[in-house]
Structure formats: structure tokens, C-alpha cells
Amino acid sequence: MTQKKATELRQEEIMEAALKLVEQQGFDNLNIAGIAAAINLVPSAIYRHFQGKEAIIEGLIEYVGKALHENILHVMKTEEETQKRLKLLFTLHLQFIESKRAIPQTLFSLLGNNKNMLLKRKILAVISRYVEQITDMIAEGQAQGEIAPGVDPKSAAMLFIGLIQPLIILSQTNDKLIEIYQETSWQIYWRGIAC
């Protein structure tokens, strides 16, 4: 195994441990010593891969951005109709959040305060890029006659993300809520933008 690959694997292991700790103990209790203990390392070993807690969080933000972008690429490649693309993207987004439950908690914690404006700007950049990609998908659907001409594509893209947020927040207390409301939420959204 090359040194670069080994480093990437160790960084992923560190980020996974950070996410598990956030899920168990909350974002505010995340620290290098806890991450190191979770994966049987000494804290100094973490610093070989990340400069500190903020660098780990920055890595998580980049990880989220990459995952969202890969989902967009996947739906564009596998589906031709806008309705199917958006529904698949909705499903993939919810599956991603269900598999990484600490990510919303981490992002909401960072967005909810002004302690680190650099990290906050990075999160907002990831979200803005995602909104733009969904906006383009919706505009393309309008051009193909699948989405009502009066629908503002950017507003519809923001509503798409807004459709996901309550399910994520409420699922923190009851993990069945996504399963219960996913389909009906989707149907209401699609009826609102379709021709």
C-alpha cells in the first residue's frame, strides 16, 4: 500500500471516529483526545494527519460536499427524467444522512454559531453549490416541459433541500419518521412544481 493511500485511510478512520463521537456525545464535546482514544491512537498520532479539531471538521465538510456532488453525478447518469432524478437524489440524500447521523448535528452546530466563520463559510459554499446543481436540474426539467414554467428553479431547489431538513431534525428523536414521511413529502413537493 502506498504512503498516500495509507494516509487517506487513516484520515477517513479519524473522521469516522469523530462522527461517532459527535453522535454519542454531541459536537461540543468533540476533542482530539477522545478521537485518539476511540481508534486506539495517542493524540500526537492524530496531529500527523490533521492540524487539529478544526482541520478534522474541515475534512468532514469536504467529505459532505464530495458525497453530495457524487449523488448529483449519479442521478444525472442513471436517470433521464427530471422527476426520477429529483426523487432519486432525495432518496440518496436521506440515505446518506441516515448512514452518517452526526453530520447534520455537526453542520447545524457550526451554522448556528459564529465561533468559526471560515468553517461556516465552507459549509455555506457546499450548500450553495448543491443548490446550484439542483437549480440547473430543475431548469433543465422546465426546458423539457416536466416542470411548470412559472416555477422559479432556484426557489424550487431551496424547497427541495427544505424538504429534507425537517425529516433529518425529527429523525434525531424517532428514526422511523424518515420512513413514514419520505414518500408523502416527496409527492407534495413534486405536485407543487410539476406541469
Side-chain angles (χ1 to χ4, degrees), residues 7-155:
T7 298
E8 287 174 6
L9 290 173
R10 180 62 82 185
Q11 288 173 339
E12 286 177 20
E13 182 183 25
I14 291 166
M15 288 191 292
E16 285 289 336
L19 285 172
K20 284 181 186 161
L21 286 173
V22 169
E23 193 172 333
Q24 294 165 357
Q25 303 171 4
F27 178 74
D28 291 335
N29 295 317
L30 182 66
N31 59 61
I32 296 294
I35 295 168
I39 51 177
N40 298 318
L41 292 175
V42 294
S44 60
I46 302 289
Y47 290 104
R48 275 180 255 174
H49 300 281
F50 293 99
Q51 291 181 346
K53 176 180 164 180
E54 287 185 2
I56 294 170
I57 295 165
E58 192 172 336
L60 290 172
I61 294 167
E62 289 171 9
Y63 170 76
V64 169
K66 182 179 175 187
L68 295 177
H69 182 66
E70 286 173 357
N71 283 349
I72 291 276
L73 293 177
H74 176 73
V75 301
M76 296 301 284
K77 193 179 347 175
T78 57
E79 297 292 349
E80 291 186 17
E81 295 174 30
T82 304
Q83 179 182 9
K84 289 180 180 177
R85 283 179 174 174
L86 288 170
K87 185 167 187 188
L88 178 57
L89 186 63
F90 179 59
T91 301
L92 292 173
H93 193 127
L94 290 173
Q95 287 172 349
F96 174 65
I97 296 304
E98 284 184 294
S99 71
K100 307 283 184 203
R101 290 192 166 275
I103 285 178
Q105 186 178 353
T106 302
L107 299 183
F108 293 151
S109 294
L110 290 167
L111 288 172
N113 67 56
N114 292 321
K115 290 180 186 173
N116 190 319
M117 292 305 291
L118 177 63
L119 291 177
K120 191 171 185 173
R121 281 193 296 274
K122 286 184 182 262
I123 294 167
L124 292 172
V126 166
I127 294 168
S128 294
R129 179 181 183 205
Y130 193 50
V131 168
E132 288 305 319
Q133 291 171 316
I134 296 168
T135 299
D136 292 344
M137 195 182 302
I138 291 168
E140 185 180 322
Q142 259 180 332
Q144 294 171 350
E146 294 178 66
I147 294 176
V151 169
D152 176 62
K154 189 155 194 170
S155 296

